[in-house]
């Protein structure tokens, strides 16, 4: 089911990923017509990239 228009679709597109601290997360889907209205889903490792580089560059 599309998160925006609530229509059932045979061609769902992942538009978001919901993460949780405990238990599994889930994906949020949209129909192909509504999907372009959502920003691209970022890769979690890309989001952590800058912090990881700063940490790896430090001397412990």
């Amino acid at each position: 089911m599309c998160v925006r228009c609530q229509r059932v679709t045979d061609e769902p597109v992942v538009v978001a990923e919901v993460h949780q601290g405990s238990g599994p997360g889930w994906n949020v889907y949209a129909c192909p017509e509504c999907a372009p209205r959502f920003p691209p889903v970022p890769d979690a490792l890309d989001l952590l990239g800058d912090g990881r580089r700063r940490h790896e560059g430090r001397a412990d």
Side-chain angles (χ1 to χ4, degrees), residues 11-52:
E11 300 174 356
V13 178
V14 175
V15 294
E17 297 173 342
V18 179
H19 300 278
Q20 294 193 150
S22 62
W26 64 89
N27 293 330
V28 178
Y29 296 94
C31 66
E33 292 81 23
C34 293
R37 298 176 185 265
F38 292 88
V41 177
D43 184 282
L45 294 178
D46 288 342
L47 296 174
L48 297 173
D50 289 339
R52 287 179 50 162

